[in-house]
Amino acid sequence: MLDANLKAQLKAYLERVKLPFEITASLDDSAAAQEMHGLLQDIVSLTDKITLKTDGTDARQPSFTLGRIGEAARIRFAAIPMGHEFTSLVLALLQVGGHPPKIEAELIEQIKALDGAEFGNELRFETYMSLTCHNCPDVVQALNLMAVLNPRITSVVIDGGLYQQEVADRQILAVPMVFLNGALFGQGRMDVEEIVAKLDTGAAARDAVKLNAKDAYDVLIVGGGPAGAAAAVYAARKGIRTGMLAERMGGQTMDTMSIENFISVLETDGPKFAAALEQHAKQYDVEILNLQRAEKLIPAADKDGLIGVQLANGATLKSRTVILSTGARWREVNVPGEKEYRNRGVAYCPHCDGPLFKGKRVAVIGGGNSGVEAAIDLAGLVGHVTLLEFGDQLRADAVLVSKLKSLPNVVIHTQAQTTEITGTEGKVNGLRYTDRASGEARHVELEGVFVQIGLVPNSEWLKGTLELSRHGEIVVDARGQTSLPGVFAAGDVTTVPFKQIIIATGDGAKAALGAFDHLIRSSAPAAAQEPATV
C-alpha cells in the first residue's frame, strides 16, 4: 500500500509513539477493505507499539479504530486516509500513542474540561470529508485531538466518496460537514479553537474580560491574512507594541488550493502558506488574538488620542494606530435559491466539494480565471459541466480557455444571466438563466452549482466611519492611509487594484511603515516637525 519512501518517513514518525495501542478493523469483502487492510498492515509492520486486530463489527465497513490498551477506542476512520488526510492519520497515530499535541496548554485544559452537559455528557462527532478537500484536515485533526484528550468525546471520520449511499441519505453536498450526536454542528473549515469556542459557551464572556484589560497598542492590525501578517512583521520589527486581531488566521488563503505565483515560492497550498504567515508573525513580539470579530471602529478621542476597535464579544481594544486588512470573501450571485440551497447543491469550493458530485451534472457561474479553472477541475470528476458567463466572452487567460474548450463534457454559454437556482426536496435540481442576446429564458437540469464570480470586500462594519468606494473598498492613498488619521488599510479590502497575495503582502508592509511614520510624526514636538529656515 505504502511505497518505500513513505514507509521510511512513517517509521521515523512512529518512533515517537510512547504508549502501546490497538488498531481494530471492521472489514468486508470489498476492494476498499482489502486496500485498508494493506495500509494497516504496513503501519503495524513499522513499530512494535501498535497491534492490529481484524475482528471489528462496526456497521460501517470498511473502517478502523485507534484505541489505547484498556480504554474504549474514541477515533474511527471510515475512510482510507490518504491524500490530504494522510497527515490526519499520522497525527492520530502519534497522539493516541502519547505524543504531546502542539497546542497551547490553556487550550488543552479547556478541551479536557468540556463536560458535554448540554448533550447528555457525551459528544459524538461525525465528520464527512473528501480526500481531495484541503479544508477537511483541519476539522478532522481537531476533533481527533479532542477525542484523545477528553474521554467524553468520540470522532468518526467518513469519506463521502467511500460511503456514497450514506452521503446521499443524509443529503450531504458540501464538505467538511460535522454532526454532533446526530445533529448538524457545522460546515466548512474549523480549527480546534473554533470548535472548542462553539462548545464552551462561557468562553466569549471570559475573553471579553481579558481583552478589555489589555494595554493600548502602538499598532493594532485587524485581519490575519497575507496583508495583516506582513503588517504585523514590519510593525513588530520596529520595536513597537503590535497586536493582530483575526477572525480566522490566514484569511482567504485558507480556501486556496494552489499558490504558484508568490515569487520565490515555486508552489505551495493555501493552508501551508497561511501557517507560514502565522509562524513568521510569531517569530516577533506580536500578540495574536485569533477568533475575534471586529464590529465597530471608534475614531480617536481628543482626550487620549486612541482609536478603538469594538469586538463581537463586547470587548474594546485601544491603539495609537490601526491597520485594517479584513480582506474579501466570495461574491454571491444573489438570486432566488442561492441561500436556500447553500451546501445542498450550491457550493463555492470546487476542490472541496467537487468529489461529492461525481458523475453528476453541475454548473459553474463565472468566466474569469477562477470559474474556468473550476470548470476544468470539475470536468475530470463530474458527468457534465455547464459554464455560464454574463459577458460576451470568457475573461480567463487564453491558455485556460483553450483547455476548457477542448473538454468533451463542457458546454459554455456566454451572455448568460443567472436568474434562479431551482430545487426540490431540499436540494438543487437546476438553474434558470436568460440569454442576453435573444432575451430567451432557459432552464438547465443539474445537481450542483459552483459560484465563481469574484470577491466582495469585508467592509460592511466600517460604513459611515471612513471613506469607502462605491464597491465598498476602503479608499487609501499611496501610504495606505485612510480618510481617518491614524487608520491605515491594506490588501483586498482596499481600492488597490489587482487582488493578489503578493500585492496584499506588499501593501501590508507599506501600511505598517505608514503607521510607524505617523507614530513618529504625531509624537514629535511641533517645532521639530517644521522644516528648518535660514
Side-chain angles (χ1 to χ4, degrees):
M1 177 64 187
L2 301 177
D3 61 34
N5 183 50
L6 205 52
K7 278 187 177 181
Q9 293 180 49
L10 183 56
K11 182 177 176 64
Y13 281 119
L14 293 178
E15 289 175 359
R16 304 175 189 178
V17 172
K18 301 174 183 178
L19 303 175
F21 66 91
E22 294 177 335
I23 299 176
T24 302
S26 299
L27 303 173
D28 54 18
D29 296 327
S30 65
Q34 295 178 21
E35 187 178 355
M36 180 180 288
H37 193 202
L39 170 63
L40 300 179
Q41 287 178 314
D42 282 350
I43 291 171
V44 298
S45 72
L46 301 176
T47 176
D48 59 1
K49 291 286 198 308
I50 308 174
T51 55
L52 174 62
K53 297 168 60 179
T54 58
D55 58 354
T57 58
D58 191 77
R60 288 190 180 97
Q61 297 185 12
S63 67
F64 63 92
T65 61
L66 310 179
R68 292 175 183 169
I69 306 300
E71 297 182 12
R74 301 195 294 271
I75 295 176
R76 177 177 296 278
F77 283 92
I80 303 169
M82 301 300 290
H84 286 297
E85 292 298 343
F86 186 67
T87 300
S88 301
L89 172 61
V90 174
L91 285 173
L93 292 169
L94 294 179
Q95 290 162 0
V96 173
H99 187 67
K102 293 183 178 179
I103 62 173
E104 298 294 331
E106 184 178 355
L107 182 56
I108 291 175
E109 293 307 312
Q110 193 178 1
I111 293 170
K112 290 181 177 179
L114 293 172
D115 58 14
E118 300 173 50
F119 308 97
N121 298 315
E122 185 181 18
L123 300 166
R124 294 178 289 105
F125 287 99
E126 296 170 297
T127 304
Y128 289 86
M129 57 80 177
S130 71
L131 298 180
T132 58
C133 169
H134 60 283
N135 287 325
C136 295
D138 276 1
V139 179
V140 170
Q141 291 164 24
L143 291 170
N144 284 349
L145 171 58
M146 291 171 64
V148 170
L149 294 174
N150 189 325
R152 299 181 184 89
I153 299 173
T154 58
S155 171
V156 180
V157 184
I158 306 155
D159 178 8
L162 191 60
Y163 287 88
Q164 293 186 27
Q165 187 57 54
E166 186 172 336
V167 163
D169 291 343
R170 298 185 84 160
Q171 296 189 351
I172 294 166
L173 295 173
V175 291
M177 187 167 287
V178 181
F179 290 82
L180 172 57
N181 295 349
L184 181 63
F185 175 77
Q187 191 276 325
R189 178 188 293 277
M190 294 180 286
D191 63 22
V192 65
E193 290 179 280
E194 292 175 272
I195 294 170
V196 171
K198 289 187 71 172
L199 295 169
D200 186 355
T201 54
R206 295 196 303 272
D207 281 348
V209 172
K210 293 178 183 177
L211 293 172
N212 273 328
K214 289 187 178 297
D215 293 334
Y217 297 93
D218 291 313
V219 176
L220 178 61
I221 298 145
V222 184
V233 169
Y234 266 73
R237 283 173 61 88
K238 294 296 185 182
I240 56 180
R241 178 166 161 73
T242 303
M244 181 161 63
L245 182 74
E247 187 173 354
R248 181 178 69 156
M249 283 302 301
Q252 200 184 15
T253 59
M254 295 292 280
D255 302 322
T256 303
M257 183 61 179
S258 180
I259 298 171
E260 299 177 346
N261 57 359
F262 193 87
I263 308 305
S264 83
V265 179
L266 294 181
E267 182 180 4
T268 186
D269 61 44
K272 287 181 182 177
F273 186 81
L277 292 176
E278 184 173 0
Q279 287 304 313
H280 199 168
K282 285 181 176 179
Q283 289 295 310
Y284 299 94
D285 193 17
V286 177
E287 186 171 6
I288 298 176
L289 309 171
N290 197 16
L291 303 182
Q292 301 295 339
R293 181 182 181 86
E295 288 198 336
K296 185 178 181 181
L297 182 68
I298 305 169
D302 292 336
K303 60 179 180 179
D304 60 11
L306 296 176
I307 302 159
V309 177
Q310 185 175 309
L311 310 183
N313 61 15
T316 298
L317 298 171
K318 297 291 188 68
S319 183
R320 296 172 64 196
T321 60
V322 168
I323 297 174
L324 304 171
S325 57
T326 47
R329 62 188 183 277
W330 292 116
R331 186 179 297 277
E332 298 178 349
V333 191
N334 290 320
V335 297
E338 181 178 19
K339 286 185 170 59
E340 292 86 338
Y341 298 111
R342 179 171 295 175
N343 301 327
R344 290 291 182 266
V346 175
Y348 299 84
C349 179
H351 303 293
C352 302
D353 300 332
L356 299 176
F357 295 86
K358 185 176 181 180
K360 298 180 180 180
R361 302 162 298 179
V362 303
V364 174
I365 302 175
N369 281 348
S370 296
V372 172
E373 287 174 350
I376 292 170
D377 289 345
L378 289 166
L381 293 169
V382 305
H384 188 271
V385 178
T386 300
L387 185 140
L388 299 100
E389 161 60 30
F390 183 85
D392 58 4
Q393 62 182 0
L394 300 181
R395 296 168 286 108
D397 295 342
V399 63
L400 294 174
V401 173
S402 177
K403 172 65 176 176
L404 182 69
K405 290 181 176 179
S406 73
L407 300 175
N409 61 336
V410 175
V411 168
I412 301 168
H413 296 297
T414 56
Q415 298 196 68
Q417 181 178 1
T418 303
T419 57
E420 183 182 4
I421 296 170
T422 62
T424 184
E425 297 181 353
K427 56 186 177 181
V428 167
N429 71 357
L431 178 148
R432 288 195 175 94
Y433 73 95
T434 298
D435 184 328
R436 296 174 56 237
S438 66
E440 180 183 355
R442 298 177 181 174
H443 183 262
V444 182
E445 293 184 355
L446 41 77
E447 290 75 43
V449 177
F450 288 83
V451 180
Q452 301 281 290
I453 57 172
L455 304 171
V456 58
N458 295 318
S459 62
E460 291 88 348
W461 64 289
L462 297 166
K463 287 180 179 178
T465 308
L466 45 67
E467 185 182 359
L468 302 176
S469 73
R470 64 187 181 91
H471 300 296
E473 299 165 319
I474 301 172
V475 177
V476 293
D477 66 12
R479 293 171 175 261
Q481 172 72 58
T482 72
S483 60
L484 275 182
V487 178
F488 296 77
D492 288 0
V493 75
T494 72
T495 50
V496 171
F498 310 121
K499 312 304 185 185
Q500 298 288 312
I501 294 172
I502 198 164
I503 293 173
T505 54
D507 280 351
K510 182 169 61 177
L513 295 175
F516 182 67
D517 184 68
H518 174 85
L519 288 170
I520 293 173
R521 294 177 182 276
S522 61
S523 61
Q529 297 184 47
E530 296 297 328
T533 57
V534 294

